[in-house]
Amino acid sequence: MTQLFDAFISYGRPDSLEFATKLQADLNQQGFKIWFDFNDIPKGVDFQNQINDGIEKSSHFLFIISPHSVHSDYCRKEINLAVKHHKRIIPLMHVEKINRETWRSRNPNGTDDEWEAYKAQGKHKSSQEKMHEIIGKINWVLFQEDKYDYQKSLAELIGLLRSQTDYVKKHTEFLVKALEWERNQKQTRYLLTGEEKKQAEIWLKKRFKDEQAPCVPSDLHCEYITESIKNGNNLMTQVFLSYADEDRATMEKIRNSLRRESITVWTNRTDIKTGEVFQAAINRGIEEADNVVYLLSPDSINSTFCQQELDLALLHNKRIIPILVRKIEEKQVRSELRNLQHIDLTDNLNEVDYLSDESQLLKILDEDAPYYNKHKILLTKALKWQGQEKNPSILLRGYNRSSAKTWLDVAQKRTQYPPTDLQSEFITESLRQPPLESLDVFISYSRADSDFARKLNDKLQEQGKTTWFDQESIASGSDFQQEINRGIKACDNFLFILSPRSVNSPYCKDEVEYAASLNKRFVTLLHREVDTGKLHPELAKVQWIDFNANQKDFNANFNQLVRTLDTDREYLRSHSKWSHRALEWKEKDKSNDLLLRGNEFVIAQNWLEETEQQNKKPSATVFQKDFIQASKNAIEALEKEEKHRRERMLLLQEEKT
């Protein structure tokens, strides 16, 4: 567990050591955890690294103002780092200036020459001189010993430290995680997942209407949180930024503005993976974005890449939002863009003008956003289906299919950004497919392992396996838990990706326990080494497939997975089928109308007998047994009733004769 601090004390040692020591002790007594160099820098370590680490992990940055601290290069470095990380900075005025009497009290044996040398270095001057501009803009807590009561000033400081505590602490928590992500080459496994990701998104969107924010998110905060959101959405984004390299500075400003509003963004500078084909990555970025924001300038008009990006956006009926960043003649603008509403940055004279244009862009992005999000999701699925020669395992099922039909009915009436022909064909073909009573695989995993899970899902679908993968199977706005339970009910195999995060995830634990309650077959894959002592008992029963084996050759290990999934397929299909029917019967108050009849009952009864005689795994559930027995009882009751009816008919006939 990372140790965090409530505050970091920055000070000039010659002027304020005694004061800083007392302040730290008094704040500790009040329950605060304070980072103070005298206590928190071990011997024999790089002190600058320790100081930087202390600032990063402290919610507040207390700067004690004195001539020495103001003129100190070390203190200036500390302030700059606090500013870079957008820390909540609280300046404490301690010493205004050093006069000769003060200097002599510190240096009783000092000579006049030494005093002159001291003055020559500027260390006696007013703290107002050479003041860091950020410190100069913030109201100070006044601690001058000859002017203000220490206890009253301390109470004022404590009040500040206890205001907006939750927001400021989360600022530090997310910063520490973001820095860890950045220092580890921005690997997916360091991103936020689950409830923590939701909390980060809520935190990023928080606005202070009636008071000033104690601190604001840094660009790194915004990037880290929006990348976590992007990772949770299968790398899909809300905005693709198309621009010429000459307009890069403007692009970065717009990108940062969007991230600050929790909007996910794709750019060629951040989203092309090492080794990925450049053009393929760009195509993917456009296909998987809700909107294309196009920076219009003389250079983007003449850029082959920008024009290719526009061509693809138009081909896929993407919403295009042009932003004029440098003046051009109207005749130079492509005809397809002339009737679109433009945002004009060329008339910006100051930051207020830019913020007005930023608000306009955010308003456009918010208009009809669910429609464009669904447009993107269905386009991505349709392109994947087309790219795999219309592989039926990729077609929409269940909730997603009915949701897509509703969207298509509305979309076909639109004149602007309607569905593409491919989307229409894909949805129509999905509607033609008979509903599946079972899926081959449900994939349970931690979002920290999303890259591996996505690769696995794609490979399984290429093999013709029908999969339930949350990033493809849960539509926006749907009941998340309900959809997960439906997926587990329908699956023949419950596939669990083992890693430290998944083993400790409460969400994964719930999925495991629900799958176990339905006696699903468990298939476990070892992705990252885990503490076997922490495995859920249901997972501990199963021999895992080690994807680190064979020198981590994915294909070799994947082949072993396919062989496992293909074992006893028909038995598993029947298990899922009778489980589904039994649960439906139970949920509908055990209605007789849902019981099995005729050949269907015979097949189910034979399956149950085979299961019990051969000790098949997974075994039949109590619900399945009750359902088949109830069906048998109903058939026997019906036969008995029919027998009595025939006997009565015979008696009546005998009486007549």
Side-chain angles (χ1 to χ4, degrees), residues 485-520:
N485 290 349
R486 282 180 185 169
I488 296 173
K489 283 179 190 175
C491 76
D492 297 341
N493 298 275
F494 180 84
L495 190 155
F496 191 91
I497 298 174
L498 291 167
S499 75
R501 292 285 284 271
S502 66
V503 166
N504 292 298
S505 165
Y507 305 101
C508 292
K509 179 185 175 186
D510 289 345
E511 292 171 6
V512 167
E513 292 181 348
Y514 189 67
S517 74
L518 301 175
N519 283 15
K520 291 294 177 180

mmCIF file of all heavy atoms in Angstrom, residues 485-520:
data_model
loop_
_atom_site.group_PDB
_atom_site.id
_atom_site.type_symbol
_atom_site.label_atom_id
_atom_site.label_comp_id
_atom_site.label_asym_id
_atom_site.label_seq_id
_atom_site.Cartn_x
_atom_site.Cartn_y
_atom_site.Cartn_z
ATOM 1 N N ASN A 485 -24.990 -11.658 -15.969
ATOM 2 C CA ASN A 485 -25.655 -12.896 -15.554
ATOM 3 C C ASN A 485 -26.247 -13.635 -16.752
ATOM 4 O O ASN A 485 -26.182 -14.870 -16.824
ATOM 5 C CB ASN A 485 -26.739 -12.593 -14.524
ATOM 6 C CG ASN A 485 -26.158 -12.168 -13.183
ATOM 7 O OD1 ASN A 485 -24.958 -12.282 -12.958
ATOM 8 N ND2 ASN A 485 -26.991 -11.665 -12.298
ATOM 9 N N ARG A 486 -26.802 -12.898 -17.698
ATOM 10 C CA ARG A 486 -27.337 -13.533 -18.908
ATOM 11 C C ARG A 486 -26.228 -14.234 -19.678
ATOM 12 O O ARG A 486 -26.408 -15.337 -20.196
ATOM 13 C CB ARG A 486 -27.992 -12.479 -19.804
ATOM 14 C CG ARG A 486 -29.370 -12.037 -19.367
ATOM 15 C CD ARG A 486 -29.909 -10.997 -20.328
ATOM 16 N NE ARG A 486 -31.180 -10.459 -19.893
ATOM 17 C CZ ARG A 486 -31.765 -9.399 -20.435
ATOM 18 N NH1 ARG A 486 -31.179 -8.775 -21.442
ATOM 19 N NH2 ARG A 486 -32.928 -8.971 -19.992
ATOM 20 N N GLY A 487 -25.088 -13.553 -19.773
ATOM 21 C CA GLY A 487 -23.965 -14.144 -20.495
ATOM 22 C C GLY A 487 -23.473 -15.425 -19.840
ATOM 23 O O GLY A 487 -23.175 -16.414 -20.523
ATOM 24 N N ILE A 488 -23.387 -15.416 -18.503
ATOM 25 C CA ILE A 488 -22.931 -16.614 -17.788
ATOM 26 C C ILE A 488 -23.949 -17.746 -17.946
ATOM 27 O O ILE A 488 -23.579 -18.904 -18.151
ATOM 28 C CB ILE A 488 -22.675 -16.294 -16.297
ATOM 29 C CG1 ILE A 488 -21.525 -15.290 -16.169
ATOM 30 C CG2 ILE A 488 -22.340 -17.563 -15.513
ATOM 31 C CD1 ILE A 488 -21.293 -14.768 -14.766
ATOM 32 N N LYS A 489 -25.239 -17.415 -17.859
ATOM 33 C CA LYS A 489 -26.281 -18.437 -18.039
ATOM 34 C C LYS A 489 -26.145 -19.122 -19.398
ATOM 35 O O LYS A 489 -26.340 -20.329 -19.528
ATOM 36 C CB LYS A 489 -27.671 -17.791 -17.966
ATOM 37 C CG LYS A 489 -28.162 -17.438 -16.590
ATOM 38 C CD LYS A 489 -29.540 -16.784 -16.712
ATOM 39 C CE LYS A 489 -29.997 -16.173 -15.401
ATOM 40 N NZ LYS A 489 -31.276 -15.450 -15.555
ATOM 41 N N ALA A 490 -25.834 -18.327 -20.424
ATOM 42 C CA ALA A 490 -25.836 -18.844 -21.796
ATOM 43 C C ALA A 490 -24.558 -19.590 -22.168
ATOM 44 O O ALA A 490 -24.528 -20.292 -23.172
ATOM 45 C CB ALA A 490 -26.055 -17.692 -22.777
ATOM 46 N N CYS A 491 -23.496 -19.463 -21.380
ATOM 47 C CA CYS A 491 -22.203 -20.002 -21.823
ATOM 48 C C CYS A 491 -22.042 -21.484 -21.515
ATOM 49 O O CYS A 491 -22.543 -21.985 -20.510
ATOM 50 C CB CYS A 491 -21.053 -19.211 -21.198
ATOM 51 S SG CYS A 491 -20.742 -19.599 -19.466
ATOM 52 N N ASP A 492 -21.335 -22.187 -22.419
ATOM 53 C CA ASP A 492 -20.957 -23.583 -22.169
ATOM 54 C C ASP A 492 -19.708 -23.659 -21.295
ATOM 55 O O ASP A 492 -19.554 -24.588 -20.506
ATOM 56 C CB ASP A 492 -20.675 -24.303 -23.496
ATOM 57 C CG ASP A 492 -21.900 -24.384 -24.381
ATOM 58 O OD1 ASP A 492 -23.022 -24.222 -23.862
ATOM 59 O OD2 ASP A 492 -21.750 -24.583 -25.603
ATOM 60 N N ASN A 493 -18.798 -22.686 -21.477
ATOM 61 C CA ASN A 493 -17.534 -22.659 -20.731
ATOM 62 C C ASN A 493 -17.351 -21.293 -20.075
ATOM 63 O O ASN A 493 -17.513 -20.261 -20.736
ATOM 64 C CB ASN A 493 -16.352 -22.907 -21.672
ATOM 65 C CG ASN A 493 -16.419 -24.262 -22.336
ATOM 66 O OD1 ASN A 493 -15.987 -25.261 -21.798
ATOM 67 N ND2 ASN A 493 -16.968 -24.305 -23.559
ATOM 68 N N PHE A 494 -17.016 -21.300 -18.798
ATOM 69 C CA PHE A 494 -16.704 -20.071 -18.077
ATOM 70 C C PHE A 494 -15.186 -19.953 -18.039
ATOM 71 O O PHE A 494 -14.515 -20.696 -17.324
ATOM 72 C CB PHE A 494 -17.288 -20.123 -16.669
ATOM 73 C CG PHE A 494 -17.020 -18.894 -15.843
ATOM 74 C CD1 PHE A 494 -17.829 -17.773 -15.950
ATOM 75 C CD2 PHE A 494 -15.955 -18.850 -14.953
ATOM 76 C CE1 PHE A 494 -17.585 -16.635 -15.184
ATOM 77 C CE2 PHE A 494 -15.699 -17.730 -14.187
ATOM 78 C CZ PHE A 494 -16.518 -16.613 -14.309
ATOM 79 N N LEU A 495 -14.640 -19.056 -18.870
ATOM 80 C CA LEU A 495 -13.188 -18.922 -19.015
ATOM 81 C C LEU A 495 -12.700 -17.778 -18.128
ATOM 82 O O LEU A 495 -13.139 -16.638 -18.291
ATOM 83 C CB LEU A 495 -12.849 -18.665 -20.486
ATOM 84 C CG LEU A 495 -11.373 -18.735 -20.883
ATOM 85 C CD1 LEU A 495 -11.256 -19.070 -22.369
ATOM 86 C CD2 LEU A 495 -10.651 -17.420 -20.622
ATOM 87 N N PHE A 496 -11.789 -18.097 -17.225
ATOM 88 C CA PHE A 496 -11.291 -17.107 -16.268
ATOM 89 C C PHE A 496 -9.806 -16.855 -16.516
ATOM 90 O O PHE A 496 -9.004 -17.798 -16.545
ATOM 91 C CB PHE A 496 -11.496 -17.601 -14.839
ATOM 92 C CG PHE A 496 -11.255 -16.547 -13.793
ATOM 93 C CD1 PHE A 496 -12.286 -15.739 -13.345
ATOM 94 C CD2 PHE A 496 -9.988 -16.348 -13.256
ATOM 95 C CE1 PHE A 496 -12.062 -14.766 -12.376
ATOM 96 C CE2 PHE A 496 -9.756 -15.383 -12.295
ATOM 97 C CZ PHE A 496 -10.799 -14.583 -11.858
ATOM 98 N N ILE A 497 -9.448 -15.565 -16.713
ATOM 99 C CA ILE A 497 -8.053 -15.185 -16.929
ATOM 100 C C ILE A 497 -7.420 -14.860 -15.578
ATOM 101 O O ILE A 497 -7.801 -13.893 -14.919
ATOM 102 C CB ILE A 497 -7.949 -13.981 -17.892
ATOM 103 C CG1 ILE A 497 -8.527 -14.358 -19.262
ATOM 104 C CG2 ILE A 497 -6.510 -13.507 -18.026
ATOM 105 C CD1 ILE A 497 -8.612 -13.208 -20.243
ATOM 106 N N LEU A 498 -6.470 -15.681 -15.184
ATOM 107 C CA LEU A 498 -5.829 -15.534 -13.877
ATOM 108 C C LEU A 498 -4.733 -14.468 -13.905
ATOM 109 O O LEU A 498 -3.829 -14.506 -14.742
ATOM 110 C CB LEU A 498 -5.205 -16.858 -13.442
ATOM 111 C CG LEU A 498 -6.164 -17.998 -13.073
ATOM 112 C CD1 LEU A 498 -5.397 -19.309 -12.982
ATOM 113 C CD2 LEU A 498 -6.864 -17.704 -11.752
ATOM 114 N N SER A 499 -4.820 -13.547 -12.972
ATOM 115 C CA SER A 499 -3.777 -12.532 -12.768
ATOM 116 C C SER A 499 -3.961 -12.008 -11.350
ATOM 117 O O SER A 499 -5.016 -12.227 -10.742
ATOM 118 C CB SER A 499 -3.915 -11.391 -13.785
ATOM 119 O OG SER A 499 -5.015 -10.560 -13.433
ATOM 120 N N PRO A 500 -2.986 -11.310 -10.795
ATOM 121 C CA PRO A 500 -3.163 -10.779 -9.429
ATOM 122 C C PRO A 500 -4.403 -9.903 -9.287
ATOM 123 O O PRO A 500 -5.101 -9.964 -8.281
ATOM 124 C CB PRO A 500 -1.864 -9.972 -9.209
ATOM 125 C CG PRO A 500 -0.857 -10.657 -10.075
ATOM 126 C CD PRO A 500 -1.614 -11.081 -11.301
ATOM 127 N N ARG A 501 -4.704 -9.107 -10.327
ATOM 128 C CA ARG A 501 -5.858 -8.206 -10.240
ATOM 129 C C ARG A 501 -7.174 -8.972 -10.317
ATOM 130 O O ARG A 501 -8.124 -8.664 -9.596
ATOM 131 C CB ARG A 501 -5.773 -7.149 -11.343
ATOM 132 C CG ARG A 501 -4.639 -6.143 -11.190
ATOM 133 C CD ARG A 501 -4.899 -5.100 -10.124
ATOM 134 N NE ARG A 501 -5.836 -4.098 -10.565
ATOM 135 C CZ ARG A 501 -5.498 -2.965 -11.199
ATOM 136 N NH1 ARG A 501 -4.217 -2.713 -11.443
ATOM 137 N NH2 ARG A 501 -6.398 -2.084 -11.566
ATOM 138 N N SER A 502 -7.258 -9.967 -11.203
ATOM 139 C CA SER A 502 -8.527 -10.695 -11.336
ATOM 140 C C SER A 502 -8.802 -11.549 -10.098
ATOM 141 O O SER A 502 -9.949 -11.659 -9.647
ATOM 142 C CB SER A 502 -8.514 -11.570 -12.591
ATOM 143 O OG SER A 502 -7.570 -12.613 -12.492
ATOM 144 N N VAL A 503 -7.739 -12.147 -9.533
ATOM 145 C CA VAL A 503 -7.895 -13.003 -8.352
ATOM 146 C C VAL A 503 -8.410 -12.192 -7.167
ATOM 147 O O VAL A 503 -9.155 -12.705 -6.320
ATOM 148 C CB VAL A 503 -6.546 -13.684 -8.018
ATOM 149 C CG1 VAL A 503 -6.560 -14.291 -6.628
ATOM 150 C CG2 VAL A 503 -6.231 -14.755 -9.054
ATOM 151 N N ASN A 504 -8.051 -10.904 -7.109
ATOM 152 C CA ASN A 504 -8.461 -10.047 -5.992
ATOM 153 C C ASN A 504 -9.651 -9.153 -6.319
ATOM 154 O O ASN A 504 -10.041 -8.323 -5.496
ATOM 155 C CB ASN A 504 -7.269 -9.178 -5.548
ATOM 156 C CG ASN A 504 -6.167 -10.003 -4.908
ATOM 157 O OD1 ASN A 504 -6.379 -10.630 -3.884
ATOM 158 N ND2 ASN A 504 -4.999 -10.031 -5.517
ATOM 159 N N SER A 505 -10.228 -9.311 -7.499
ATOM 160 C CA SER A 505 -11.335 -8.438 -7.914
ATOM 161 C C SER A 505 -12.667 -8.922 -7.346
ATOM 162 O O SER A 505 -13.061 -10.070 -7.572
ATOM 163 C CB SER A 505 -11.427 -8.400 -9.442
ATOM 164 O OG SER A 505 -12.667 -7.863 -9.863
ATOM 165 N N PRO A 506 -13.413 -8.057 -6.645
ATOM 166 C CA PRO A 506 -14.740 -8.469 -6.141
ATOM 167 C C PRO A 506 -15.721 -8.738 -7.278
ATOM 168 O O PRO A 506 -16.624 -9.563 -7.144
ATOM 169 C CB PRO A 506 -15.182 -7.270 -5.288
ATOM 170 C CG PRO A 506 -14.368 -6.111 -5.777
ATOM 171 C CD PRO A 506 -13.070 -6.681 -6.245
ATOM 172 N N TYR A 507 -15.547 -8.036 -8.420
ATOM 173 C CA TYR A 507 -16.434 -8.243 -9.568
ATOM 174 C C TYR A 507 -16.206 -9.633 -10.163
ATOM 175 O O TYR A 507 -17.161 -10.351 -10.478
ATOM 176 C CB TYR A 507 -16.193 -7.160 -10.626
ATOM 177 C CG TYR A 507 -16.335 -5.771 -10.085
ATOM 178 C CD1 TYR A 507 -15.209 -5.002 -9.767
ATOM 179 C CD2 TYR A 507 -17.582 -5.222 -9.841
ATOM 180 C CE1 TYR A 507 -15.332 -3.732 -9.234
ATOM 181 C CE2 TYR A 507 -17.722 -3.945 -9.313
ATOM 182 C CZ TYR A 507 -16.593 -3.212 -9.016
ATOM 183 O OH TYR A 507 -16.729 -1.957 -8.483
ATOM 184 N N CYS A 508 -14.936 -9.997 -10.327
ATOM 185 C CA CYS A 508 -14.620 -11.329 -10.855
ATOM 186 C C CYS A 508 -15.102 -12.411 -9.887
ATOM 187 O O CYS A 508 -15.593 -13.462 -10.315
ATOM 188 C CB CYS A 508 -13.115 -11.461 -11.099
ATOM 189 S SG CYS A 508 -12.494 -10.432 -12.454
ATOM 190 N N LYS A 509 -14.977 -12.148 -8.586
ATOM 191 C CA LYS A 509 -15.431 -13.119 -7.584
ATOM 192 C C LYS A 509 -16.927 -13.374 -7.734
ATOM 193 O O LYS A 509 -17.384 -14.530 -7.693
ATOM 194 C CB LYS A 509 -15.125 -12.590 -6.179
ATOM 195 C CG LYS A 509 -15.585 -13.536 -5.074
ATOM 196 C CD LYS A 509 -15.381 -12.905 -3.697
ATOM 197 C CE LYS A 509 -15.950 -13.812 -2.611
ATOM 198 N NZ LYS A 509 -15.904 -13.180 -1.275
ATOM 199 N N ASP A 510 -17.706 -12.311 -7.941
ATOM 200 C CA ASP A 510 -19.157 -12.469 -8.118
ATOM 201 C C ASP A 510 -19.464 -13.311 -9.352
ATOM 202 O O ASP A 510 -20.375 -14.147 -9.338
ATOM 203 C CB ASP A 510 -19.821 -11.097 -8.253
ATOM 204 C CG ASP A 510 -19.835 -10.323 -6.939
ATOM 205 O OD1 ASP A 510 -19.590 -10.948 -5.882
ATOM 206 O OD2 ASP A 510 -20.070 -9.104 -6.970
ATOM 207 N N GLU A 511 -18.703 -13.089 -10.434
ATOM 208 C CA GLU A 511 -18.926 -13.861 -11.657
ATOM 209 C C GLU A 511 -18.605 -15.338 -11.426
ATOM 210 O O GLU A 511 -19.346 -16.224 -11.874
ATOM 211 C CB GLU A 511 -18.067 -13.292 -12.793
ATOM 212 C CG GLU A 511 -18.502 -11.914 -13.248
ATOM 213 C CD GLU A 511 -17.523 -11.259 -14.217
ATOM 214 O OE1 GLU A 511 -16.556 -11.929 -14.634
ATOM 215 O OE2 GLU A 511 -17.724 -10.074 -14.546
ATOM 216 N N VAL A 512 -17.512 -15.608 -10.724
ATOM 217 C CA VAL A 512 -17.116 -16.989 -10.420
ATOM 218 C C VAL A 512 -18.220 -17.682 -9.621
ATOM 219 O O VAL A 512 -18.612 -18.824 -9.923
ATOM 220 C CB VAL A 512 -15.782 -17.019 -9.643
ATOM 221 C CG1 VAL A 512 -15.525 -18.396 -9.037
ATOM 222 C CG2 VAL A 512 -14.629 -16.616 -10.550
ATOM 223 N N GLU A 513 -18.722 -17.010 -8.613
ATOM 224 C CA GLU A 513 -19.718 -17.637 -7.749
ATOM 225 C C GLU A 513 -21.037 -17.860 -8.475
ATOM 226 O O GLU A 513 -21.714 -18.874 -8.247
ATOM 227 C CB GLU A 513 -19.902 -16.794 -6.484
ATOM 228 C CG GLU A 513 -18.646 -16.835 -5.612
ATOM 229 C CD GLU A 513 -18.754 -16.044 -4.319
ATOM 230 O OE1 GLU A 513 -19.727 -15.270 -4.183
ATOM 231 O OE2 GLU A 513 -17.854 -16.197 -3.464
ATOM 232 N N TYR A 514 -21.409 -16.949 -9.361
ATOM 233 C CA TYR A 514 -22.644 -17.155 -10.124
ATOM 234 C C TYR A 514 -22.474 -18.324 -11.096
ATOM 235 O O TYR A 514 -23.374 -19.165 -11.238
ATOM 236 C CB TYR A 514 -23.028 -15.881 -10.880
ATOM 237 C CG TYR A 514 -24.400 -15.974 -11.513
ATOM 238 C CD1 TYR A 514 -25.537 -16.050 -10.719
ATOM 239 C CD2 TYR A 514 -24.543 -16.005 -12.892
ATOM 240 C CE1 TYR A 514 -26.797 -16.150 -11.282
ATOM 241 C CE2 TYR A 514 -25.799 -16.107 -13.473
ATOM 242 C CZ TYR A 514 -26.923 -16.181 -12.658
ATOM 243 O OH TYR A 514 -28.171 -16.287 -13.228
ATOM 244 N N ALA A 515 -21.314 -18.407 -11.757
ATOM 245 C CA ALA A 515 -21.045 -19.520 -12.675
ATOM 246 C C ALA A 515 -21.035 -20.845 -11.911
ATOM 247 O O ALA A 515 -21.559 -21.864 -12.387
ATOM 248 C CB ALA A 515 -19.714 -19.315 -13.387
ATOM 249 N N ALA A 516 -20.467 -20.837 -10.716
ATOM 250 C CA ALA A 516 -20.419 -22.063 -9.899
ATOM 251 C C ALA A 516 -21.822 -22.493 -9.485
ATOM 252 O O ALA A 516 -22.119 -23.698 -9.425
ATOM 253 C CB ALA A 516 -19.541 -21.839 -8.669
ATOM 254 N N SER A 517 -22.697 -21.520 -9.200
ATOM 255 C CA SER A 517 -24.069 -21.861 -8.794
ATOM 256 C C SER A 517 -24.829 -22.544 -9.922
ATOM 257 O O SER A 517 -25.807 -23.258 -9.675
ATOM 258 C CB SER A 517 -24.822 -20.594 -8.355
ATOM 259 O OG SER A 517 -25.186 -19.791 -9.478
ATOM 260 N N LEU A 518 -24.378 -22.350 -11.175
ATOM 261 C CA LEU A 518 -25.012 -22.975 -12.337
ATOM 262 C C LEU A 518 -24.237 -24.202 -12.811
ATOM 263 O O LEU A 518 -24.541 -24.765 -13.865
ATOM 264 C CB LEU A 518 -25.114 -21.955 -13.482
ATOM 265 C CG LEU A 518 -25.918 -20.676 -13.189
ATOM 266 C CD1 LEU A 518 -25.839 -19.709 -14.367
ATOM 267 C CD2 LEU A 518 -27.366 -21.005 -12.871
ATOM 268 N N ASN A 519 -23.239 -24.602 -12.037
ATOM 269 C CA ASN A 519 -22.389 -25.759 -12.393
ATOM 270 C C ASN A 519 -21.784 -25.625 -13.791
ATOM 271 O O ASN A 519 -21.754 -26.588 -14.563
ATOM 272 C CB ASN A 519 -23.188 -27.070 -12.305
ATOM 273 C CG ASN A 519 -23.372 -27.528 -10.874
ATOM 274 O OD1 ASN A 519 -23.153 -26.766 -9.945
ATOM 275 N ND2 ASN A 519 -23.793 -28.772 -10.693
ATOM 276 N N LYS A 520 -21.285 -24.437 -14.120
ATOM 277 C CA LYS A 520 -20.652 -24.233 -15.427
ATOM 278 C C LYS A 520 -19.271 -24.885 -15.444
ATOM 279 O O LYS A 520 -18.628 -25.041 -14.396
ATOM 280 C CB LYS A 520 -20.515 -22.733 -15.731
ATOM 281 C CG LYS A 520 -21.843 -22.031 -15.979
ATOM 282 C CD LYS A 520 -22.508 -22.538 -17.234
ATOM 283 C CE LYS A 520 -23.866 -21.903 -17.458
ATOM 284 N NZ LYS A 520 -24.506 -22.406 -18.693
#
